[in-house]
Amino acid sequence: MGNNTRRLLCVEDHIETCQLITSTLRDFEVVSVTTKSAALERVRSGRFDLIVVDYYLPDGTGEELCKHIRIFDKRTPILFITGSDDFTETRSRTIGGQGMIKKGRPTFVTELRARASELS
């Protein structure tokens, strides 16, 4: 991969989760934002190799964010992370995402590493 560091946008209102993602995915430059509106601004102004988004955000949902991003960016992989039982892998794919990882599972870090390397 050379000097081309991959960039990841972490859209999550719990800072600890973004810190966990940053320490787990050390080969990514992680940019963290806490709201849907900040994420849209970042995606429009910079290139990312992967977007990791929480389902519930202070100003909307990850689903709304994904739909907005897909209007102008069909390519960047979007991976949902959520503790909710209401959002599924199937729903994620239906709206243009690449899947979903459940927060709080003992396998979260392992799943995150595997998905990040396969998607980016």
Side-chain angles (χ1 to χ4, degrees):
M1 188 137 282
N3 291 336
N4 296 339
T5 302
R6 294 178 294 168
R7 296 183 77 222
L8 181 147
L9 179 63
C10 178
V11 187
E12 164 67 73
D13 58 326
H14 294 100
I15 299 305
E16 313 78 42
T17 304
C18 280
Q19 289 170 339
L20 175 64
I21 289 169
T22 301
S23 64
T24 300
L25 303 176
R26 293 186 183 278
D27 53 340
F28 282 88
E29 172 194 337
V30 178
V31 175
S32 300
V33 294
T34 57
T35 63
K36 183 178 88 174
S37 56
L40 273 173
E41 192 177 300
R42 286 295 186 123
V43 172
R44 283 194 175 108
S45 65
R47 284 204 134 349
F48 291 94
D49 299 290
L50 178 62
I51 300 167
V52 175
V53 60
D54 188 13
Y55 185 77
Y56 291 108
L57 298 167
D59 59 346
T61 67
E63 182 169 344
E64 293 165 349
L65 175 61
C66 182
K67 288 176 180 177
H68 284 298
I69 291 171
R70 287 300 179 234
I71 292 168
F72 62 88
D73 177 353
K74 308 266 190 239
R75 295 180 121 134
T76 305
I78 298 173
L79 185 61
F80 288 89
I81 54 173
T82 184
S84 171
D85 291 327
D86 299 335
F87 190 73
T88 63
E89 177 88 13
T90 303
R91 182 76 191 136
S92 150
R93 292 179 186 280
T94 302
I95 60 170
Q98 277 58 54
M100 186 264 307
I101 301 174
K102 193 81 160 167
K103 281 197 265 184
R105 278 191 189 154
T107 56
F108 178 78
V109 167
T110 309
E111 286 181 61
L112 181 62
R113 275 194 193 114
R115 287 286 186 90
S117 64
E118 90 188 21
L119 291 173
S120 61

